[in-house]
Amino acid sequence: MSDESRSAPRPRVGRTTAGRRRLRHALTVAAIEKFSEQGYDATTVDEIASAAGVGRRTFFRYFRSKEDAIFPNHEEVLGRIEQLFATADDRQNPLEVACAGVGLVLDSYLADPDVSVKRFALTRTVPSLRDKEVASVDRYQRVLATYLRARFQAAGDPLWDLRGSVAAAAVAAAHNHVLRRWLRSGGTEDAHAHAKEAFALVIDAFADAAPPRSAGDDESVIAVLKASAPLSEVVRQISQALRRDG
Amino acid sequence: MSDESRSAPRPRVGRTTAGRRRLRHALTVAAIEKFSEQGYDATTVDEIASAAGVGRRTFFRYFRSKEDAIFPNHEEVLGRIEQLFATADDRQNPLEVACAGVGLVLDSYLADPDVSVKRFALTRTVPSLRDKEVASVDRYQRVLATYLRARFQAAGDPLWDLRGSVAAAAVAAAHNHVLRRWLRSGGTEDAHAHAKEAFALVIDAFADAAPPRSAGDDESVIAVLKASAPLSEVVRQISQALRRDG
């Protein structure tokens, strides 16, 4: 954190939410432009504020430091994820809910391709920005792990703690893979299609961690399988058969 | 990195490998004792070297900075993992090989419970030590991902890149979970038993990423399954049946 840091940003009373969001975005765009043009170290908070048409006091109502200025509003996204988890249906596959959660993170990057791609270039060259990026990934992963552990524990999984950590890491890695690929493409690829594929992979990997069927189903299922079929295909078929009326 | 940092440690010519390893360990023990007793910031390299009975020049033959002094020899462990991967049988399940790789990391912590437990306490209170720990986890995960991607790609998996990243994150998370649990127990729990359980979970999760059976097996397998059985149990049984002669 720079020596210009403050204890906490204080949004100005009276400005509308939309207005605040616009000004925050203008400061982010200004910071990214300045950092890219003249270098991160050489840029001051005053220059960023001035480029966005405000004073340094206004800057510090939105950001703690100049590092902070280029990142998405992680607090806001984390809040939305926690709300999604708090209101999710307990009968939904926990991995699907977790993937919907990181989908909100992905959307926050996709919402502004130009800013996201330029930020990506900066985090690859400025170590302190890269450290902040890594720290934010860690925070999302913790929120995912907390949700997944609770769901697995509620389902009576004896390995809930372990499975929660591992599944959260897998979901975060799937998201990071999709995001990085999209950023490397300069924000041009179809990230939603890749996300769908990536989320399907982790949901499939942890399919046996889904909640048990609620009804007292004790009928038998007879499956005739090709021994040479890929196990993934066999698992998918059986999983569908066992749950078709669940 | 502190201002006392050096570009690279230069091991003294003439000292035996065992002798160098002993002196390195003595410096690590001294650093951990000093940091724990009088605080990380208040401890100098001279004090650490002196506590180990050597001079500061000798200290810098082993470590770049005082932060470095308390960590396991990650370079050495990474080298051993890469050798394991380079010589692994391509018919072995790639997840099993990856787990054997992180098993070497776990063993490097288990080899010295006292140092590991005290280091854990320090990384929880000193941010710069915690950052170094996070960075080392990232390095192991990259080595795992490189291996797994290559194996999946060689097996013709169209999602090799994605699956390699996700599986590597899952393996690293399983290892971290076991290590953290053992450290929290003060180094008293049976980490190997927990590792076996954790590795089984990730191997199971990515079971469909295992290489296909080599023989031209086209016989059918008839499975009679209880619809109420947990899917994990069903998958395990079928997986065994399909591979019993694989």
Side-chain angles (χ1 to χ4, degrees):
Chain A
M1 201 173 281
S2 81
D3 54 357
E4 299 187 292
S5 63
R6 291 288 182 277
S7 56
R10 297 176 304 272
R12 185 157 72 187
V13 179
R15 199 180 278 274
T16 63
T17 306
R20 290 188 50 228
R21 201 168 279 163
R22 266 197 303 275
L23 182 46
R24 191 186 196 284
H25 185 253
L27 284 164
T28 297
V29 170
I32 285 184
E33 299 276 309
K34 286 282 163 197
F35 292 168
S36 305
E37 274 167 35
Q38 61 191 41
Y40 171 75
D41 287 329
T43 302
T44 66
V45 164
D46 288 306
E47 287 173 306
I48 298 167
S50 159
V54 298
R56 73 184 266 121
R57 290 187 53 164
T58 302
F59 176 93
F60 283 118
R61 287 199 187 95
Y62 290 83
F63 302 105
R64 284 187 187 83
S65 63
K66 69 174 182 177
E67 283 110 54
D68 265 2
I70 68 158
F71 288 99
N73 196 340
H74 289 308
E75 295 301 330
E76 192 185 312
V77 179
L78 280 165
R80 270 188 280 151
I81 294 174
E82 282 174 337
Q83 198 184 355
L84 176 80
F85 290 167
T87 57
D89 187 335
D90 276 0
R91 286 164 303 182
Q92 240 191 302
N93 180 323
L95 267 293
E96 279 176 20
V97 179
C99 287
V102 289
L104 295 175
V105 188
L106 187 64
D107 285 342
S108 79
Y109 284 83
L110 297 183
D112 200 336
D114 192 48
V115 163
S116 296
V117 169
K118 284 181 179 158
R119 182 197 301 118
F120 181 55
L122 286 167
T123 55
R124 291 172 100 181
T125 52
V126 184
S128 69
L129 295 178
R130 185 177 154 74
D131 290 351
K132 267 195 103 67
E133 183 81 351
V134 170
S136 74
V137 169
D138 191 60
R139 287 182 68 195
Y140 287 116
Q141 195 167 319
R142 278 161 195 250
V143 172
L144 291 171
T146 300
Y147 172 72
L148 289 169
R149 284 192 198 110
R151 286 293 310 274
F152 296 152
Q153 189 174 25
D157 182 346
L159 297 179
W160 59 270
D161 193 16
L162 168 66
R163 201 183 309 271
S165 302
V166 172
V171 171
H175 164 268
N176 293 342
H177 185 271
V178 172
L179 177 59
R180 233 178 2 249
R181 182 175 166 169
W182 178 76
L183 290 169
R184 283 196 186 125
S185 80
T188 61
E189 283 192 349
D190 183 353
H192 280 129
H194 292 140
K196 205 174 156 189
E197 189 175 72
F199 294 162
L201 187 145
V202 287
I203 290 166
D204 186 48
F206 295 91
D208 55 347
R213 303 167 86 202
S214 50
D217 305 293
D218 53 2
E219 83 267 33
S220 292
V221 169
I222 298 187
V224 180
L225 313 160
K226 275 260 180 267
S228 57
L231 188 59
S232 61
E233 198 35 51
V234 172
V235 170
R236 210 168 350 256
Q237 284 174 16
I238 290 179
S239 172
Q240 269 175 7
L242 290 179
R243 294 208 189 120
R244 62 174 181 273
D245 58 352
Chain B
M1 201 173 279
S2 81
D3 54 357
E4 299 188 292
S5 64
R6 291 289 183 276
S7 58
R10 297 175 304 271
R12 185 157 72 189
V13 179
R15 199 179 278 275
T16 64
T17 306
R20 290 188 48 228
R21 201 168 279 164
R22 266 198 302 277
L23 182 46
R24 190 186 197 286
H25 185 253
L27 284 164
T28 297
V29 169
I32 285 183
E33 300 276 309
K34 286 283 165 197
F35 291 168
S36 305
E37 273 168 36
Q38 62 192 39
Y40 171 75
D41 287 329
T43 302
T44 66
V45 164
D46 288 305
E47 287 173 305
I48 297 167
S50 159
V54 298
R56 73 183 266 122
R57 290 187 53 164
T58 303
F59 175 94
F60 283 117
R61 288 200 186 93
Y62 290 84
F63 301 105
R64 285 186 187 85
S65 63
K66 68 175 184 177
E67 284 111 53
D68 265 2
I70 68 158
F71 288 98
N73 196 339
H74 289 308
E75 295 301 329
E76 193 185 310
V77 180
L78 280 165
R80 270 188 280 152
I81 295 173
E82 282 175 337
Q83 198 183 355
L84 175 80
F85 290 166
T87 56
D89 187 334
D90 276 359
R91 286 165 302 183
Q92 243 190 299
N93 179 323
L95 266 294
E96 278 177 21
V97 179
C99 287
V102 288
L104 295 174
V105 188
L106 187 64
D107 285 342
S108 79
Y109 283 83
L110 297 183
D112 200 337
D114 193 48
V115 162
S116 296
V117 170
K118 283 181 180 159
R119 181 196 302 118
F120 181 56
L122 286 168
T123 55
R124 291 172 98 180
T125 52
V126 184
S128 69
L129 296 179
R130 186 177 153 74
D131 290 351
K132 267 195 104 67
E133 183 81 351
V134 170
S136 73
V137 169
D138 191 60
R139 288 182 67 194
Y140 287 117
Q141 196 167 317
R142 278 162 196 249
V143 172
L144 291 172
T146 301
Y147 172 72
L148 289 168
R149 284 192 198 111
R151 285 293 308 276
F152 296 152
Q153 189 174 25
D157 181 346
L159 297 178
W160 59 271
D161 193 16
L162 168 66
R163 200 184 309 272
S165 301
V166 172
V171 171
H175 165 269
N176 293 343
H177 186 270
V178 172
L179 177 59
R180 232 178 2 249
R181 181 175 166 169
W182 177 75
L183 290 168
R184 283 196 186 125
S185 80
T188 60
E189 283 191 349
D190 184 352
H192 280 129
H194 292 139
K196 206 174 154 187
E197 190 174 71
F199 294 162
L201 186 145
V202 285
I203 291 166
D204 187 46
F206 294 91
D208 55 346
R213 304 169 84 202
S214 48
D217 305 293
D218 54 0
E219 83 268 33
S220 291
V221 169
I222 297 189
V224 180
L225 313 160
K226 276 260 180 270
S228 57
L231 188 59
S232 60
E233 196 37 50
V234 172
V235 170
R236 205 162 1 250
Q237 285 174 17
I238 290 178
S239 171
Q240 269 175 6
L242 290 179
R243 295 208 187 121
R244 62 175 180 272
D245 58 350

